[in-house]
Amino acid sequence: MIIRQLSVFLENRAGRLTELTGILADNDINISAFSIADTTDFGILRVITGKPELAEKVLKEHGFAVKITDVIGIVMRNKPGALHHALQILTDNGISIEYMYAFASGDDRATAVIRTDAPKKAIEVLQLHEMELLQAGDVYQI
Amino acid sequence: MIWNEHHECMDRQRLTELQGERLRDMVERIYFNVPFYRAKLQEMGIEPGDIRSLEDLKKLPFTTKQDLRDNYPFGLFAVPQHDVVRLHASSGTTGKSTVVGYTHNDILMWSEVVARSLTMAGITRNDIIQVAYGYGLFTGGLGVHYGAEKIGASVIPISGGNTKKQLQLLEDFGSTAIACTPSYAAYLGEAIAEEKLDRSKIKLKAGIFGAEPWTEEMRTQIQQLLGLKAYDIYGLSEVIGPGVSMECACQRGMHIFEDHFIPEIIDPETCEVLPYGTLGELVFTTVTKEAMPLMRYRTRDLTRLHIDKCDCGRTLVRMEKCVGRSDDMLIIRGVNVFPSQVESVLLEMSETRPHYLLVVDRENNLDTLEIQVEVEEQFFSDEVKELEGLRKRISGNLTSLLGLHASVRLVEPGTIERSMGKAQRVVDKRKLK
């Protein structure tokens, strides 16, 4: 249930992101989801890829500062109120979110990737409320 | 323990007399043997007879590195070539290399000052010293080598690099002392930890580190990594090489061997001689050197001299660790900034590596200082607030130390260019305009 997300430190330098996607492409690594948090000087790329261990290794070999972060992915119906329902469960259980990003997949489903300091507890409470969670296997193999 | 008590613990007045005699003799030698110096002295209307005591030193003109370059290679030699038994040269990273020559007596004097230095670090004939300074044109290796032999220690002339072999010999030979640059010492320490060597087999007790600037924080780091006491040695090839001054067990600065090298501190702008305790540029007059004596040589190193007697019993003046160089000191909005200050702040913080670059620029007629710092991979957080916090902490620490606002830019590890020689720490864009 826990998904291994890669976080990469990126300087705000022209072409740096392209270098990174080039390295992933050369190693036949697919990107399932990503987001970039940026400041004036640097950005942090958060990316879920197939073959996360390989992705970490090849990026490190190319001098990137890479860190593996555990995140969870909640799968919801792509309709009004679905995200609110999921977040309400987390809030009611005292789980705070450090950051999140979301993507819609297919016609009627959407996934929210959530980073919290208590991923295991989050999984437990979400399952208790019969929420669907993204399986690591699903994303890594895309 | 003191190697040469007579000269290292001399009464100040007797030392001054000795320096005066030797100065008089040296001025005569260069006046009659070095056309460059004769012309310079004649221009100023000075004759050898005018220099009678140490007091007269301040009448003499300075020698600069440029003078050495202009007289490349042998123009400043004061003896015929057949009396020169050794030639060394600097790397020449900032221009044409500077060449220095030694007579047989010069080599003996050099061995003497290095023997005194090693004795300060507690090294005796019973020690095994691994000399990991480079041998060759660079003065480090051979300088320490001859001094160690004079003491009667067992010398391992391994030279620099070849880390695996260094570690093997540390274990197999049980080296009790090592001499190398402080950065290489830190590297060896990290290698010991990485290779998971048996620490009980490492017998090191003293390290003699010099040839590049280093900080107290780095000393602590090296001492922990290698399990030894780290001593600072200072020298420059123009004066003799390593052994111009050395730290004793009290570690309150480096004693300068004043019976051979007369130090002065000057204001680098006005060239006025400054009193003891004042920060300024270090100047040396080498009164006993035969092949290439130098008159008031400007080292460009910035330091202070202290004359109060040291607890070790030596009366020789002590110089502080150099805080920087008068030629790489930056003046930013009227504030003096040295790259070494930045380094010491970064080393105090565990989250950064001492890989940094100072970028100075000018916006709207106002100087700006940006410090680029590499983020250590193990401390990289994937949260913006953590990294922003780190950036602010570095910036705050630097600003309070420098007394001037410095903006900090975090950069990826490995992106600041590494240098095999002297690291490039400053990019001053102001000069380009």
Side-chain angles (χ1 to χ4, degrees):
Chain A
M1 241 56 84
I2 287 196
I3 296 167
R4 289 161 64 74
Q5 172 200 259
L6 265 64
S7 299
V8 188
F9 180 80
L10 282 180
E11 272 170 55
N12 282 0
R13 195 146 47 86
R16 193 61 177 148
L17 183 58
T18 315
E19 275 175 53
L20 182 141
T21 50
I23 294 163
L24 294 183
D26 290 345
N27 287 278
D28 199 24
I29 295 167
N30 191 52
I31 296 172
S32 300
F34 79 92
S35 99
I36 295 179
D38 67 325
T39 70
T40 340
D41 292 338
F42 62 88
I44 300 170
L45 172 74
R46 291 143 185 171
V47 56
I48 294 173
T49 71
K51 309 172 198 164
E53 284 78 17
L54 177 66
E56 183 190 15
K57 180 171 161 275
V58 295
L59 289 177
K60 278 191 172 168
E61 279 168 8
H62 284 82
F64 284 93
V66 186
K67 193 184 168 84
I68 296 268
T69 315
D70 290 342
V71 295
I72 55 171
I74 310 175
V75 184
M76 299 157 291
R77 296 284 303 281
N78 188 2
K79 64 165 193 179
L83 177 63
H84 174 70
H85 176 64
L87 295 182
Q88 191 68 58
I89 296 170
L90 294 177
T91 306
D92 291 347
N93 287 279
I95 295 166
S96 61
I97 292 168
E98 284 170 22
Y99 60 78
M100 64 181 288
Y101 50 97
F103 56 98
S105 51
D107 296 334
D108 60 345
R109 281 151 59 95
T111 305
V113 176
I114 293 181
R115 162 87 170 122
T116 146
D117 52 5
K120 285 196 179 120
K121 188 179 172 199
I123 290 170
E124 266 171 43
V125 300
L126 289 166
Q127 281 180 329
L128 210 66
H129 288 79
E130 293 173 353
M131 298 291 295
E132 187 185 344
L133 288 162
L134 203 61
Q135 299 291 319
D138 299 342
V139 279
Y140 296 160
Q141 281 159 11
I142 289 173
Chain B
M1 230 174 10
I2 298 173
W3 178 258
N4 181 336
E5 208 167 323
H6 175 67
H7 284 104
E8 294 180 74
C9 306
M10 233 177 183
D11 169 71
R12 179 78 11 205
Q13 188 174 346
R14 285 200 51 207
L15 177 64
T16 308
E17 281 165 19
L18 178 69
Q19 288 175 319
E21 278 165 33
R22 289 181 167 178
L23 176 66
R24 212 159 53 216
D25 172 61
M26 175 241 183
V27 171
E28 202 171 283
R29 276 187 290 125
I30 58 174
Y31 188 87
F32 292 110
N33 295 308
V34 186
F36 169 79
Y37 277 131
R38 184 163 58 245
K40 223 170 172 174
L41 290 168
Q42 279 174 343
E43 209 177 285
M44 296 174 78
I46 300 172
E47 283 183 24
D50 298 336
I51 307 301
R52 285 183 295 270
S53 70
L54 187 61
E55 262 297 289
D56 299 319
L57 179 62
K58 57 180 181 292
K59 293 179 186 165
L60 295 169
F62 293 100
T63 307
T64 64
K65 199 175 186 98
Q66 191 57 44
D67 292 330
L68 267 66
R69 291 194 187 119
D70 293 345
N71 290 284
Y72 176 88
F74 304 146
L76 291 181
F77 285 14
V79 295
Q81 182 267 322
H82 59 79
D83 283 339
V84 175
V85 300
R86 178 86 66 76
L87 292 164
H88 279 285
S90 72
S91 56
T93 42
T94 52
K96 203 186 269 181
S97 68
T98 46
V99 179
V100 288
Y102 301 75
T103 63
H104 180 64
N105 279 334
D106 289 339
I107 298 282
L108 293 181
M109 180 272 275
W110 192 10
S111 311
E112 159 74 18
V113 291
V114 175
R116 293 183 193 177
S117 303
L118 297 177
T119 304
M120 284 193 196
I123 294 168
T124 68
R125 57 199 301 268
N126 298 322
D127 281 294
I128 300 174
I129 178 166
Q130 194 156 326
V131 180
Y133 278 119
Y135 279 64
L137 282 179
F138 171 63
T139 51
L142 285 161
V144 173
H145 183 103
Y146 277 54
E149 278 194 354
K150 188 178 174 94
I151 283 184
S154 311
V155 186
I156 310 171
I158 188 166
S159 193
N162 204 352
T163 305
K164 275 214 153 61
K165 191 88 187 170
Q166 302 272 3
L167 297 180
Q168 191 196 335
L169 297 194
L170 276 182
E171 274 195 348
D172 296 352
F173 292 5
S175 312
T176 53
I178 186 163
C180 60
T181 60
S183 55
Y184 192 59
Y187 182 75
L188 277 178
E190 285 165 13
I192 287 176
E194 268 170 35
E195 304 269 321
K196 299 194 175 62
L197 293 190
D198 182 358
R199 292 293 294 261
S200 68
K201 286 189 185 158
I202 309 269
K203 308 280 185 227
L204 289 173
K205 59 174 196 190
I208 296 92
F209 306 126
E212 64 185 19
W214 54 310
T215 53
E216 283 305 315
E217 292 77 14
M218 207 158 157
R219 189 205 297 269
T220 312
Q221 196 181 39
I222 293 170
Q223 292 189 152
Q224 280 168 356
L225 286 168
L226 290 172
L228 45 66
K229 184 161 176 172
Y231 292 86
D232 204 356
I233 190 168
Y234 172 87
L236 59 166
S237 63
E238 296 91 319
V239 175
I240 194 77
V244 173
S245 67
M246 171 79 188
E247 225 172 35
C248 66
C250 302
Q251 298 194 319
R252 289 176 60 228
M254 295 169 275
H255 291 282
I256 297 173
F257 302 115
E258 290 175 278
D259 49 330
H260 296 289
F261 322 115
I262 304 177
E264 293 171 278
I265 292 288
I266 63 163
D267 179 322
E269 302 293 317
T270 64
C271 292
E272 181 201 348
V273 178
L274 302 172
Y276 287 122
T278 317
L279 182 67
E281 183 181 332
L282 186 59
V283 171
F284 281 111
T285 301
T286 63
V287 283
T288 54
K289 246 167 75 173
E290 294 178 343
M292 204 180 100
L294 288 181
M295 181 164 69
R296 304 189 86 192
Y297 181 69
R298 295 186 59 174
T299 64
R300 289 290 175 185
D301 284 328
L302 295 166
T303 184
R304 289 184 186 84
L305 297 182
H306 299 287
I307 193 70
D308 54 301
K309 200 178 165 189
C310 185
D311 292 339
C312 72
R314 291 176 183 84
T315 50
L316 298 171
V317 77
R318 287 171 289 116
M319 61 180 269
E320 286 180 16
K321 208 178 248 304
C322 299
V323 297
R325 291 178 55 78
S326 65
D327 49 3
D328 72 19
M329 181 180 84
L330 288 162
I331 302 179
I332 299 167
R333 277 181 258 157
V335 179
N336 296 349
V337 175
F338 298 105
S340 58
Q341 292 176 297
V342 173
E343 180 168 313
S344 111
V345 168
L346 295 180
L347 274 162
E348 269 174 27
M349 305 184 64
S350 55
E351 307 97 318
T352 55
R353 283 180 201 219
H355 290 300
Y356 60 90
L357 187 68
L358 277 67
V359 182
V360 190
D361 208 340
R362 184 162 288 174
E363 273 170 34
N364 306 323
N365 293 321
L366 203 61
D367 296 333
T368 60
L369 172 63
E370 177 186 87
I371 297 165
Q372 298 185 358
V373 181
E374 285 187 6
V375 178
E376 176 107 36
E377 189 171 303
Q378 69 205 88
F379 293 104
F380 161 54
S381 159
D382 90 320
E383 285 176 55
V384 174
K385 65 170 189 277
E386 294 280 326
L387 286 179
E388 278 294 315
L390 171 65
R391 198 180 62 76
K392 280 188 187 133
R393 272 204 311 286
I394 299 173
S395 175
N397 290 354
L398 284 170
T399 302
S400 66
L401 181 93
L402 302 176
L404 137 120
H405 174 73
S407 67
V408 170
R409 184 187 180 93
L410 298 179
V411 299
E412 291 174 26
T415 52
I416 290 174
E417 205 182 323
R418 303 295 192 266
S419 158
M420 298 313 281
K422 288 175 191 145
Q424 170 77 31
R425 299 298 197 196
V426 177
V427 175
D428 195 340
K429 295 181 176 170
R430 293 176 300 185
K431 288 173 192 156
L432 303 175
K433 286 176 185 169

